[in-house]
Each structure stands twice: as structure tokens, then as C-alpha cells.
Amino acid sequence: MPALPSQESKPARRRQVDRSAATRAALVAAGRRLFAEEGFAAVATEAIVAAAGVSRGALYHQFVDKTALFAAVVEAVEADVTTRIAGEVADAALTDPIEAMRLAASVWLRICVEPEVHRIVLLDGPSVLGWAEWRELCQRHVFGLVKDVLSWGMEIGRIRRQPVGPLAHIIMGASDEAALYIARATDTDTARTEMINALDLVIDGLRR
């Protein structure tokens, strides 16, 4: 009869899992700061492991390569962006989904000029990861938020009923293009004003 796992082995495994998670979190945090400051191409793996306080072997135990780490960083930034947008919309306690979408778009276009979002997500993201993977990571978190607001609007009769998924893709596509426009502009304040006005027109067109 095979021996049963000892009770002591369970805490040991738990500690190992916790250490692995802590190592991964340290690498993502270090990569996030360095990629935002210097850009993906300029950051060496040696700088990442030094900033994270881990070994080079620990990096490659967690991630296949620097690009895989960068993908994890993009997802972390996107998750935080989604939380911030959802939080500001919730705090506003709006009762009109159209106004909620307008606020969400405005918050996104304010956030998109911050170094982490600007450099990591908008400038380096598409070129480092390729458009398909970059798009999938960007949609992983915020897509559900957009669908929820659209569904809410249709349920209360403020938005014309139609398939929610395709419409969410259109709204996200317009919002991302607006952010990319701002990211590449020399005058970001003017570009942001232009894109907010343009997105307002798109969102207003959803009214029933």
C-alpha cells in the first residue's frame, strides 16, 4: 500500500506555491516599472531580475522569455485600468447607461496617457505581442464591462436592441483607436479633447 502524504508536506507545498506566486508578482512589478520607464526593447532581463531581487533562473522558471513576462505585465495593467474605470463609473452612481459609457470613455482617454498605459499597452503592446495577442489581452478584462453596460442599456430601453457582442467590439475598437491616436499625438491634450468629442458622437448614436 502506497504511503499517504504526510501532514508536514502540505504546508511545505503551500509555502512553495506562495514563494512561486511572490516571485512571479515581483517580476511583473519590476517589469511593469522598467517597461514603462524605458520601453520593452531597452530593458535587459538582467535589469528585470535585479529589480525584482530574484535570480535569472527564477525568471525563466516563471516565464518562457522576456516577451512572456511582457504579456503578463500588459494583462496586469489592463486589469488595473478596468478596475479604475469600473470604480469611477460606480462612484458616479449614474442611472443612464449612455452617460455611464460617456464617463467610462472619458476616464479611459485620461488614463491612456499615463506612462504605464501609454508605453506598455499602446505603444509597445501591439508591436511586441502582435496585434492578435495584444487585442485578446486588452479585451480579456474590459470587454465584459462594455457588454454589461450595453446589456443594461438595452434592458431599460435606452439602447436599441441588437446582438451585444458585435456592438461591444465596435465600441472597444473605437475606444482603442482613440487611445492609439492620443498615444501617437504630439499634443496629447488637444488629441484627447478631439477623441472625447468623437467618441461622444459614437455613443450618442446608440440612443434609442
Side-chain angles (χ1 to χ4, degrees):
M1 179 177 178
L4 296 175
S6 67
Q7 291 299 314
E8 290 79 6
S9 67
K10 292 181 180 179
R13 285 197 299 271
R14 180 70 261 174
R15 288 193 296 271
Q16 184 178 4
V17 169
D18 290 344
R19 285 195 298 270
S20 179
T23 298
R24 184 181 180 89
L27 286 164
V28 169
R32 187 167 174 167
R33 177 175 62 80
L34 292 171
F35 292 144
E37 291 174 354
E38 303 177 31
F40 176 84
V43 178
T45 55
E46 291 80 3
I48 296 170
V49 297
V54 302
S55 68
R56 188 179 179 86
L59 168 63
Y60 291 113
H61 178 74
Q62 296 291 333
F63 301 100
V64 173
D65 54 21
K66 187 175 78 165
T67 300
L69 170 61
F70 181 78
V73 168
V74 170
E75 183 168 9
V77 174
E78 279 291 314
D80 284 351
V81 166
T82 302
T83 298
R84 291 172 63 184
I85 293 173
E88 291 204 31
V89 172
D91 289 344
L94 298 171
T95 58
D96 183 351
I98 294 292
E99 293 306 314
M101 291 184 67
R102 287 162 63 98
L103 175 58
S106 178
V107 173
W108 163 233
L109 296 186
R110 185 186 76 234
I111 290 173
C112 78
V113 299
E114 295 177 0
E116 284 189 342
V117 182
H118 178 261
R119 167 73 76 169
I120 295 172
V121 176
L122 298 175
L123 295 184
D124 284 348
S127 59
V128 173
L129 301 177
W131 190 89
E133 183 178 358
W134 171 76
R135 186 69 171 157
E136 193 277 329
L137 286 174
C138 289
Q139 290 183 346
R140 188 172 293 173
H141 296 276
V142 76
F143 189 65
L145 179 63
V146 176
K147 287 178 67 177
D148 287 346
V149 176
L150 290 171
S151 296
W152 170 34
M154 292 178 195
E155 287 169 6
I156 67 172
R158 290 288 287 136
I159 296 175
R160 290 187 296 275
R161 283 201 173 273
Q162 55 193 292
V164 173
L167 185 57
H169 278 286
I170 293 296
I171 297 300
M172 283 197 62
S175 299
D176 286 346
E177 281 298 318
L180 288 167
Y181 177 87
I182 295 168
R184 289 170 171 78
T186 54
D187 183 350
T188 56
D189 289 337
T190 297
R192 181 173 180 270
T193 298
E194 292 171 343
M195 287 296 104
I196 286 176
N197 291 337
L199 279 180
D200 281 349
L201 290 175
V202 173
I203 294 168
D204 284 342
L206 300 174
R207 295 179 188 272
R208 184 172 180 179

